[in-house]
Amino acid sequence: MCGLCLPHCPTYTVSQQEGESPRGRISLVKAFLEDQLDPSPALGQHLQSCTTCLKCQQVCPAKVDFEAIIDAGRSAYRQHLPLFPRLLQTLLIHSLGSRLGQMMIKAGLPLARRLNRSTTSPLGQLARLAASIPKRNNNTPIKAASRLSGQSVLLFQGCSGQVMDQNALDSAKQLIRAIGFEPLLSASSDCCSALAQHAGLSDYARKQQLQLRQKWAKLPCCDVISIASGCGNQLDQLDTAGLKHWDIHQWLLAEDAFNKLKPRSLNKKVLLHVPCSLHANPAAVAAMHQLLAKIPQLEVHEFNDNLHCCGAGGVQLITPEASNYALAQRKAQTIAAAEVDLVLSANVGCSSQLRMALDRRVQKIDIIHPIELLARQLS
Ligand code: SF4
Ligand code: SF4
């Protein structure tokens, strides 16, 4: 109850309300689980608006496991959510977790893009989200290494990555082949379970985790590489059946063959967004900087408010609360003021959120994954 986490909480900084703070949310979950509080819409809003950025957990001197508390609160409250957002969350999360569902989402994107984007309704958010998904590039691929090492690595594609970040996945595959490895691809239905867990679908999240463990226990190899920091953060917390998980920036840097590649120079200014899910992994952030430093003439700036969440976490991308828009707008203002050529982000959710925020300001700046830029300069 010390309150030291309050100034670090993005939703508290925009609202200044105790119920929008970590301490407030902990008290609300406690009272609700002890039957001292009714499942009111206000309670639901305070639980849903948390972006699960876990800044509170990182600064808490008592090491309170906030993630477990908010997940438990959301899981218990879930049946009281209004019907439409609840169905929309369930439908999207289950669809993302299956090959057929992903195909249906991809087929439905053109229609979703035509919905009215200017409303704050769940359908308006769906339209903005669909419009934020970039088209697949046809860039010249990087040449694969002439001599293969004979080793494989498992590239964790992630459920939303396959729908929303195909260009970053293509770049990762090319980079892995360029240094002589063969990327094995995780199955379409393989999901790290973070989305389901943070939406309060705890049974479904556990099922996804069990499936992943059972599959990976049968693999003869190898290292697992993730490209989205949100998935990576979740995989770090799971039992990966003896496979070693790597963030892609760290894995590439650790390979001699990669360090021999020479990217072309690029005389541009880029703004690097460090997702909240990477704040707990400073080595990965350092690796990202080291990789970008390999591109001659590239000027890399970090967001001056990198410590503040963009608002995409939790279930905010699907069913946002009001604070989400304020957080996204704050990032859009930072991007506009920085006057950069390109924005980089290593998390698919954050990239989508930043694209949506810029779209509202009718401003077009490419937002791509750092490895996408690296692949471009090596192609
Ligand atoms: S996880 Fe982030 S948004 Fe949620 S209470 Fe903690 S600091 Fe605030
Ligand atoms: S979560 Fe930690 S930092 Fe925040 S009020 Fe409780 S004890 Fe203090």
Side-chain angles (χ1 to χ4, degrees):
M1 303 304 287
C2 65
L4 283 174
C5 53
L6 266 61
H8 301 270
C9 172
T11 53
Y12 178 75
T13 56
V14 295
S15 71
Q16 298 292 308
Q17 285 181 40
E18 179 71 13
E20 289 288 293
S21 78
R23 182 176 62 186
R25 290 185 174 112
I26 291 170
S27 301
L28 290 170
V29 171
K30 183 173 188 292
F32 178 48
L33 295 182
E34 289 174 350
D35 286 333
Q36 290 163 8
L37 194 63
D38 291 332
S40 66
L43 170 65
Q45 185 248 308
H46 293 315
L47 299 182
Q48 294 290 310
S49 64
C50 166
T51 68
T52 330
C53 68
L54 302 184
K55 289 284 156 41
C56 48
Q57 198 164 298
Q58 287 155 16
V59 299
C60 173
K63 307 275 180 243
V64 168
D65 186 352
F66 181 82
E67 188 176 12
I69 295 172
I70 194 75
D71 287 346
R74 284 188 181 143
S75 183
Y77 184 87
R78 191 165 170 79
Q79 57 176 308
H80 304 290
L81 278 175
L83 186 64
F84 186 55
R86 177 156 43 107
L87 285 181
L88 189 65
Q89 282 180 10
T90 309
L91 184 69
L92 274 177
I93 292 170
H94 278 80
S95 301
L96 279 171
S98 80
R99 184 168 167 71
L100 180 65
Q102 286 171 10
M103 283 164 60
M104 286 168 67
I105 293 177
K106 284 182 188 170
L109 283 178
L111 178 65
R113 288 189 183 113
R114 294 168 74 100
L115 298 171
N116 183 359
R117 284 188 226 166
S118 58
T119 71
T120 53
S121 70
L123 281 182
Q125 178 68 5
L126 211 55
R128 284 189 291 280
L129 196 52
S132 76
I133 299 176
K135 296 215 164 66
R136 199 164 183 173
N137 285 332
N138 286 318
N139 291 345
T140 317
I142 315 172
K143 211 171 136 215
S146 48
R147 284 177 54 196
L148 294 181
S149 67
Q151 295 180 65
S152 305
V153 286
L154 180 69
L155 178 61
F156 185 75
Q157 303 195 89
C159 66
S160 48
Q162 292 172 85
V163 175
M164 295 163 66
D165 215 3
Q166 197 59 58
N167 291 326
L169 280 173
D170 289 344
S171 302
K173 289 175 212 165
Q174 291 175 19
L175 285 165
I176 292 169
R177 288 195 185 109
I179 58 172
F181 284 75
E182 185 52 38
L184 303 176
L185 304 181
S186 63
S188 310
S189 55
D190 288 352
C191 173
C192 70
S193 76
L195 200 51
Q197 184 180 313
H198 298 320
L201 290 162
S202 37
D203 289 344
Y204 186 55
R206 273 193 291 275
K207 190 175 149 205
Q208 288 181 318
Q209 292 165 13
L210 184 67
Q211 268 177 10
L212 217 52
R213 258 199 311 279
Q214 287 173 340
K215 273 190 189 175
W216 289 5
K218 291 183 196 147
L219 276 183
C221 68
C222 58
D223 287 347
V224 183
I225 302 175
S226 65
I227 62 167
S229 60
C231 304
N233 197 21
Q234 180 79 352
L235 293 178
D236 278 339
Q237 296 176 53
L238 300 182
D239 168 9
T240 48
L243 306 186
K244 181 169 168 48
H245 166 245
W246 291 79
D247 165 83
I248 184 137
H249 309 95
Q250 290 175 282
W251 184 81
L252 287 171
L253 265 189
E255 291 299 327
D256 284 345
F258 177 78
N259 288 303
K260 288 181 189 142
L261 298 179
K262 300 269 178 266
R264 287 192 314 279
S265 66
L266 183 68
N267 190 4
K268 297 243 155 118
K269 188 173 164 189
V270 298
L271 193 58
L272 180 65
H273 172 255
V274 178
C276 299
S277 39
L278 268 188
H279 285 158
N281 188 358
V285 180
M288 201 156 60
H289 275 287
Q290 281 173 268
L291 287 191
L292 293 171
K294 288 182 178 295
I295 302 176
Q297 291 187 293
L298 186 70
E299 207 182 308
V300 181
H301 297 259
E302 268 202 28
F303 274 68
N304 54 9
D305 60 350
N306 249 341
L307 287 177
H308 279 133
C309 177
C310 66
V315 282
Q316 292 298 295
L317 264 193
I318 308 175
T319 45
E321 297 289 339
S323 56
N324 168 294
Y325 296 115
L327 294 172
Q329 283 309 298
R330 197 158 64 179
K331 291 289 178 191
Q333 281 160 9
T334 307
I335 295 173
E339 296 181 351
V340 289
D341 302 296
L342 202 58
V343 176
L344 305 176
S345 171
N347 193 39
V348 53
C350 308
S351 302
S352 298
Q353 174 81 335
L354 297 178
R355 284 189 202 110
M356 284 189 279
L358 287 179
D359 187 41
R360 290 178 145 219
R361 299 170 64 90
V362 198
Q363 191 175 354
K364 293 290 170 208
I365 297 180
D366 255 0
I367 299 172
I368 62 173
H369 196 291
I371 58 165
E372 222 178 308
L373 181 61
L374 205 59
R376 282 185 194 176
Q377 296 314 107
L378 283 165
S379 67

